[in-house]
Amino acid sequence: VLGGQRLVPLSWACVARRTSYPPERGRTKQTTASHGGSLEEAFRVGPRNSVQQPGCRTNPVQGLPEKQSTPVDSGSLEPEKVISSLLDMGFSDAHVKDLLSTLPGANLQQLLDIISELILLGLNPEPVCVVLKKSPQLLKLPVVQMKKRSNYLRKLGLGEGKLRRMLHGCPEVFTMRQQDIDDTVKLLKEKCLFTAQQVTEILHRCPSVLQENPSELEYKFQYAYFRMGVKHLDIVRTDFLQYSVNKIKQRHSYLERLGRYQTPDKKGQTQITNPLLKDILRVSESEFLAKTACSSAEEFEVFKKLLAREEEEQEEEEEPESSTSEDKEEQLDEGWIG
């Protein structure tokens, strides 16, 4: 994690000789560090390269007397040592300040352990900062659970840098239940019939699927495969599963009504040339209307309202049928019929 660098102990006598602070100020800083001062306070004392003595490891804290302070508390580290470790991992001064300002009061040892695990997964300092700022609850995870989840993600093929995009889109992957992840992976493999490699790509490119309701995710796949005639490989390549069902249905149905999209037959053939999926879903609504649908925004708004009304009426028609079938089942169970 530390890039093979060896931490050289700081020569406190060297710092004392180079420091022009009066004794009272030095005693004040010692008291702050030894009584569990915050990381942010320790970082604000001085710049990283304020001491340029050969053989001395540069330290962000200046003006400390020769005697070292005691640890902050049991299971934690001194603030200056944490800052030094983060700098050795490749974090810049700005990164460290950002972490300390957004994660006040964090357990120092826990902070280093979690960051080390993220670095081992292939994340660079910048995305690590983004992930921790977006999901500070990661710092409350037991390190054992973090390591266990990391190993699981590696087995799915999500190591070696692929985790960066996944964590940016779904940092909850470390905090969510293992059963929920297993259910999503099982659905993609067994019900949607994606290969193991395709599942890895889906989780990498569309991590939001982990937070979707399994039945809605299955419906989205079925809509793509049966209604739109999109094959497995195209679903993966176009990041199809990251888009909402509502957006997919609105744009696809609108193109169908305009005669600009046709569901392929069993041989995969159509009488017209369908637009590419990226031109349907990956573009803004204005670009979709101007270049793909060749229609106005007013017409599309009217269509969306009509489509919503049609779906409501369809749901109302399906409810009596389901209730009738349930009543018949109850009557059969009670022996009222036959």
Side-chain angles (χ1 to χ4, degrees), residues 10 53 180 188 250 280:
L10 176 64
Q53 180 75 9
D180 293 338
L188 292 172
Q250 285 178 350
I280 300 175

Side-chain angles (χ1 to χ4, degrees), residues 219 223 245-246 248-250 253 257 303-318:
Y219 173 79
Y223 189 91
V245 172
N246 195 40
I248 294 169
K249 293 180 70 174
Q250 285 178 350
S253 299
R257 305 284 175 92
F303 170 78
K304 285 191 287 187
K305 293 178 181 179
L306 291 174
L307 183 63
R309 187 181 302 172
E310 289 177 6
E311 291 177 348
E312 289 178 2
E313 293 175 353
Q314 186 177 357
E315 290 176 0
E316 291 175 358
E317 291 176 359
E318 291 175 354

Side-chain angles (χ1 to χ4, degrees), residues 103-335:
L103 303 171
N107 181 282
L108 307 187
Q109 185 63 59
Q110 181 81 356
L111 177 71
L112 282 182
D113 289 340
I114 296 299
I115 289 178
S116 298
E117 201 61 37
L118 293 173
I119 294 290
L120 285 173
L121 282 169
L123 269 70
N124 295 324
E126 182 68 29
V128 168
C129 292
V130 173
V131 168
L132 290 180
K133 287 173 65 178
K134 191 174 182 180
S135 295
Q137 64 270 25
L138 288 175
L139 293 176
K140 298 180 181 180
L141 281 179
V143 179
V144 175
Q145 180 180 337
M146 185 80 171
K147 290 180 179 292
K148 186 177 180 181
R149 184 60 55 84
S150 298
N151 292 332
Y152 174 81
L153 294 174
R154 287 192 187 97
K155 290 180 181 178
L156 290 177
L158 289 167
E160 302 300 329
K162 284 190 175 181
L163 200 61
R164 176 177 177 175
R165 179 172 177 177
M166 183 179 185
L167 282 176
H168 183 73
C170 183
E172 296 81 6
V173 67
F174 280 103
T175 57
M176 62 191 304
R177 294 193 316 154
Q178 181 66 44
Q179 186 61 46
D180 293 338
I181 301 178
D182 291 339
D183 290 344
T184 300
V185 172
K186 184 178 179 180
L187 184 147
L188 292 172
K189 287 183 177 179
E190 298 183 4
K191 292 190 175 182
C192 302
L193 301 180
F194 287 104
T195 66
Q197 185 177 359
Q198 288 173 338
V199 171
T200 299
E201 281 300 308
I202 290 173
L203 296 179
H204 169 221
R205 301 166 69 99
C206 309
S208 59
V209 299
L210 291 172
Q211 297 177 295
E212 283 197 50
N213 183 293
S215 60
E216 292 180 0
L217 181 60
E218 184 179 5
Y219 173 79
K220 190 189 297 186
F221 165 77
Q222 291 178 348
Y223 189 91
Y225 192 81
F226 295 107
R227 281 284 288 113
M228 299 181 66
V230 183
K231 303 302 180 184
H232 288 77
L233 190 58
D234 291 325
I235 292 176
V236 176
R237 286 176 175 173
T238 59
D239 303 337
F240 185 92
L241 297 177
Q242 74 173 332
Y243 303 106
S244 67
V245 172
N246 195 40
K247 178 179 181 178
I248 294 169
K249 293 180 70 174
Q250 285 178 350
R251 296 194 179 186
H252 166 251
S253 299
Y254 191 54
L255 291 175
E256 263 192 336
R257 305 284 175 92
L258 293 174
R260 297 184 179 275
Y261 194 99
Q262 190 176 76
T263 303
D265 57 23
K266 294 181 179 180
K267 296 181 180 180
Q269 298 176 345
T270 58
Q271 296 179 355
I272 62 173
T273 301
N274 287 335
L276 299 175
L277 286 177
K278 67 181 184 67
D279 295 329
I280 300 175
L281 300 172
R282 199 177 291 178
V283 296
S284 64
E285 183 172 300
S286 59
E287 187 174 349
F288 164 74
L289 292 172
K291 297 182 179 181
T292 308
C294 299
S295 179
S296 66
E298 291 77 12
E299 291 173 326
F300 190 44
E301 286 300 320
V302 172
F303 170 78
K304 285 191 287 187
K305 293 178 181 179
L306 291 174
L307 183 63
R309 187 181 302 172
E310 289 177 6
E311 291 177 348
E312 289 178 2
E313 293 175 353
Q314 186 177 357
E315 290 176 0
E316 291 175 358
E317 291 176 359
E318 291 175 354
E319 285 179 0
E321 293 179 2
S322 60
S323 60
T324 303
S325 60
E326 289 176 1
D327 292 341
K328 288 183 179 180
E329 288 179 1
E330 290 179 1
Q331 291 175 355
L332 287 171
D333 292 337
E334 295 177 7

